[in-house]
Amino acid sequence: AEIKLKSVETHPLPDAPNVGYVRLTTFISETAEAELETVLKQFSQQGKQGVILDLRNNYGGLLTNAVSISDLFLDTGTIVSIENRAHDTQRYAALPGQVYNGPVVVLIN
């Protein structure tokens, strides 16, 4: 049977009811961006005034997924730039429009 891993988890914060907490466990899941987008929209509907994005122990994944997820928070600018030994550069930029534009705290280790 196919095992589906959930890459986005949310938990209420009793001491901070106006803040949304979301944990992103991996950038490898094909559904991570859609899952996170849904959660961010729910936070907006619930009137959350900030978001804690927990990336601790996130074991990485696909660059394209990380760029897509970053784009949920960014409206303009370069998200990541890659330069190889031949000095060829590839840039991934934010697309106009963003799903969430409030305060964000990112937890990493």
Side-chain angles (χ1 to χ4, degrees), residues 37-83:
E37 183 174 356
T38 299
V39 166
L40 292 173
K41 287 179 179 178
Q42 288 172 349
F43 285 166
S44 292
Q45 292 170 351
Q46 296 168 358
K48 303 290 185 187
Q49 297 174 351
V51 170
I52 297 173
L53 179 60
D54 191 348
L55 299 178
R56 293 176 296 176
N57 300 317
N58 180 313
Y59 52 87
L62 303 173
L63 175 64
T64 52
N65 285 3
V67 169
S68 298
I69 288 168
S70 298
D71 195 31
L72 296 174
F73 297 93
L74 303 170
D75 191 34
T76 61
T78 300
I79 294 174
V80 68
S81 177
I82 302 167
E83 183 175 333

